Amino acid sequence: MTGEIGQLALCLALALALVQAGAGLWGARAATSTSLDLSRHVARMSAFGFFAFIALAFGALTFGFVTSDFSILLVAQNSHTLKPLIYKISGVWGNHEGSMLLWVLVLAVYSAVMALAVRGGARLTSAALGVEGLLAAAFVLFILFTSNPFRRLDPMPFQGEGLNPLLQDPGLAMHPPMLYLGYVGLSATFAYAAAALITQETGSHWARAARPFMLVAWIALTLGITLGSWWAYYVLGWGGFWFWDPVENAALMPWLVATALIHSTLATERTGAFRSWTLLLAIAAFSMSLTGTFLVRSGVLASVHSFANDPQRGEYILVLLGLAIGGALALFAWRAPGIEEGTSFEPASRETLLLLNNVFLTASAATVFLGTLYPLLLDAVTGTRISVGPPYFAITFAPIFIALLLLVPLGPRLAWRKGDLVGALKLLAPGAGLALLAAIVIFAIHAPHMLAAAGAFALAGWLIGASIVDFRERWKARGAGVQSFASVLAHAGLGISLLGIVGTTLWRSEALEVLAPGQSMQVADTQLRFDGVTPRQGPNYFADRATLEVIRNGKQIATIAPEKRSYPAEGQAITDTSIRTNGFSDLYVALGDDRGGGRWTVRAYVNPLAPLIWFGGAIMALGGLASLWGRLRPNAVRAAPAE
Amino acid sequence: MTPKQRRRLAFALALVVAGAGGAALVLGALKDNVLYFYSPSDLATKHVADGVAFRIGGLVAKGSVVRGPAADVRFVVTDGRASVPVEFRGVLPDLFREGQGVVALGALGPGGVFNATEVLAKHDERYMPPEVVDALKRSGRWKEGEQ
């Protein structure tokens, strides 16, 4: 029954999305205020209804997973009665069809919030709801025609096939919803930008209306990428945190463009500068999230994300991508001449720094885009299979990003329109001092002496030092509210993450040995004594658990227990690494192959500063939250846009 | 020029400079830093110099896996027509099995042995690396590898 309820709810939701699109866009062109109010009202009610029906469909599918209803094909293929409850629930989006339903659920939430939102004029809201309705309808159609999660299986099997064990992990249960909250949040921004172009209300107030959605999307993307990177670090057993894998790039590109967007919007809101550019970026940001969805969902890339390869799905998303981007760009080209630019600014001003921020961020996004799509293009055209790896990104992405990071501290210290560059540099002198100190210390203690290492630490010192200065200045004028600390937090988080990346890249120690019980291995200053492997049974897996004593300076300080787990239902095995962290350095141990006679391969790393990578990501997200907090307090909106 | 025009010009110039710089970096990097994929048959017909990094893929030949005393492993990658011996020091992926698809990253060393720095197997039972599927199809051995 639940399957049929879900199916019916999807069909009704499709009808409501079409009503929302029609009414919303009709409202945008309405001649009288009564017909505008009526259309907007219908669009808003449809958005609420759409949310209710999608929630019902999602609930029905979740119910199927929780009760192990194997008469639903998707549940039979991706679930198992012995799976713990949390993974039965996360199994809903641990597959293509269910994850697309999650995508639409998130879209429905944003649509409903847009319908509730009070900011932006009636005409703009109406048009934005219309555009969002079009997107909603397109994705529901995609689900119904190519990815129906409610397909039946007859006869019904006694047991399901289970979920990929790599996905049975708390970090990964959270990662897709977080990332989708980001991807889809950019659809709301896109809808407001398109609405501004349709209604020709291209002033600042569309940006003000879209800004909370942009911030939520950016925070979610930041957290989603951080979670994904953390998951890769402890699950894959290689000790790496970023692989420049195309699916990672698929999330990084929207993040880079969204970061550019939240910065250029600051100027658009405040002084009316970059009006057309901000509109274009809003379109580009959502295009990047559609591109990401295409890359990950179409099966053109091979990864843990490509569940099943069906070329039809890829084609559908590609057509949708073309229509959305093409339509929006055509609209932009048509309206652009009418867009008024705001007041002018001097070369030394915050606007100039925001402009440079945008140039560097979009250029870095473009290099990632080319590196990710070039192999696909080459394969499609010539049939030559190549892959583009870390060396490419080290040459292209890194220099652009370093140039950006050098300029980051200046922006917040320059005034709008006409700033005092010398004054700002004087003020930031302590930051430069910290950078110099970091460079000298690192150059002295690190052998062999490396200028690149010293430079990288100097850059992190510059970011963190300048954030401290910025904090001090903003604390003096703290009447402006929480949001004035947004840039302090976001920029400091960037510095902290950089510190983690540089530290672990430079100082990582690695050891790989075959050990018999009683034997020891050495990694950095730590000795690991192998006490053998014992079998253990989990809820839905069997594990070989190794016990290793951690010995430092002749003293035994801890016991760690990495595992190898095999999942009989899925016929798979995974490595469960064991990480011991003190907040500044990780001891990371993974169990390798069984070499017979009680001997096992053990791989161990010491990763100094590694935890700072994810800690920095969380701080950056907190910065986003601070900015959002200021926006959502209605009386604070007008009073203090002093970011 | 009005301030507005000046600003537009500055913006356009900045974009052009950044775009040109980025394009130069990208082209240079793409020229020297892409990894080609070869099947064992490709390798037999093409001459690839020792020490040039590339990726190789196929099936792990049955009975070819020999584990050394330290953490080193030797095995043979085959696509049914040609085969290449591979040496690797490290932990093999959890789903590394004889008779199944594998992709290895590394370079040829003396004696035509492929020294792998990284070995990738499939993520789950239903999935085979697409390059391997392709290589097997080309050598006409696809169905055997499908299992």
Side-chain angles (χ1 to χ4, degrees), chain A residues 67-246:
Chain A
T67 58
S68 296
D69 179 359
F70 298 131
S71 70
I72 299 175
L73 178 67
L74 194 69
V75 179
Q77 281 175 344
N78 293 287
S79 201
H80 194 281
T81 51
L82 289 179
K83 218 163 53 164
L85 181 65
I86 171 181
Y87 301 127
K88 281 184 183 163
I89 295 171
S90 75
V92 174
W93 54 81
N95 57 77
H96 170 79
E97 290 83 352
S99 80
M100 288 319 298
L101 191 57
L102 176 67
W103 168 286
V104 175
L105 177 68
V106 177
L107 186 77
V109 171
Y110 276 115
S111 251
V113 175
M114 281 167 74
L116 283 173
V118 287
R119 262 170 239 160
R123 204 173 281 277
L124 185 81
T125 316
S126 179
L129 279 171
V131 175
E132 192 77 350
L134 274 182
L135 292 171
F139 273 98
V140 175
L141 271 175
F142 173 65
I143 290 183
L144 284 173
F145 282 131
T146 72
S147 324
N148 192 335
F150 296 109
R151 262 177 41 209
R152 288 292 185 180
L153 180 63
D154 189 34
M156 173 177 146
F158 286 115
Q159 191 50 279
E161 294 170 28
L163 175 69
N164 185 344
L166 280 174
L167 305 180
Q168 296 188 29
D169 176 274
L172 216 64
M174 278 313 297
H175 163 78
M178 212 33 113
L179 216 49
Y180 278 7
L181 206 57
Y183 272 6
V184 184
L186 294 175
S187 81
T189 312
F190 173 86
Y192 276 112
L197 289 168
I198 291 169
T199 58
Q200 290 178 287
E201 295 180 16
T202 48
S204 301
H205 71 278
W206 81 267
R208 223 164 274 139
R211 177 120 179 129
F213 294 95
M214 216 176 272
L215 283 168
V216 170
W218 184 84
I219 294 165
L221 273 177
T222 308
L223 288 176
I225 293 173
T226 307
L227 274 174
S229 151
W230 182 52
W231 171 83
Y233 176 69
Y234 75 78
V235 163
L236 296 182
W238 303 342
F241 54 88
W242 190 263
F243 302 96
W244 292 108
D245 187 90

Side-chain angles (χ1 to χ4, degrees), chain A residues 77 302 341 343-345 355 359 385-387 391-392 395 512 564 570-575 593 595 599 603, chain B residues 7-8 11 18 25 29 33 35-37 55 67-70 89-91 94 123-127 130-131:
Chain A
Q77 281 175 344
E341 285 296 335
T343 48
S344 62
F345 54 88
L355 175 69
V359 169
R385 283 200 181 263
I386 61 157
S387 62
Y392 164 84
I395 296 175
L512 174 72
K564 254 184 117 81
E570 294 85 358
Q572 283 174 251
I574 64 162
T575 310
D593 324 316
R595 291 301 181 111
R599 296 162 71 248
R603 176 187 281 198
Chain B
R7 201 178 56 203
R8 287 226 165 134
F11 185 69
L25 284 172
N33 291 288
L35 291 170
Y36 283 87
F37 176 87
R55 293 184 309 148
R67 289 168 202 269
R89 189 179 138 73
V91 175
D94 298 316
H123 289 288
D124 67 57
E125 293 292 302
R126 286 172 239 164
Y127 167 75
E131 294 95 336

Side-chain angles (χ1 to χ4, degrees), chain A residues 16 24 26 71 88 101 115 121 230 256 271 387 395 407 419 425 431 449 472 489 521 532 535 587 595 603:
Chain A
L16 280 175
W26 178 266
S71 70
K88 281 184 183 163
L101 191 57
W230 182 52
L256 290 169
T271 68
S387 62
I395 296 175
L407 293 173
L425 286 173
H449 299 307
R472 194 191 61 202
L489 287 167
M521 68 193 284
L587 171 67
R595 291 301 181 111
R603 176 187 281 198

Side-chain angles (χ1 to χ4, degrees), chain B residues 37-82:
Chain B
F37 176 87
Y38 299 121
S39 68
S41 311
D42 290 339
L43 212 56
T45 53
K46 278 186 191 115
H47 179 77
V48 181
D50 289 3
V52 175
F54 64 96
R55 293 184 309 148
I56 190 161
L59 301 178
V60 181
K62 292 230 165 86
S64 72
V65 179
V66 180
R67 289 168 202 269
D72 53 322
V73 183
R74 269 190 273 177
F75 55 90
V76 171
V77 171
T78 176
D79 61 0
R81 269 201 248 154

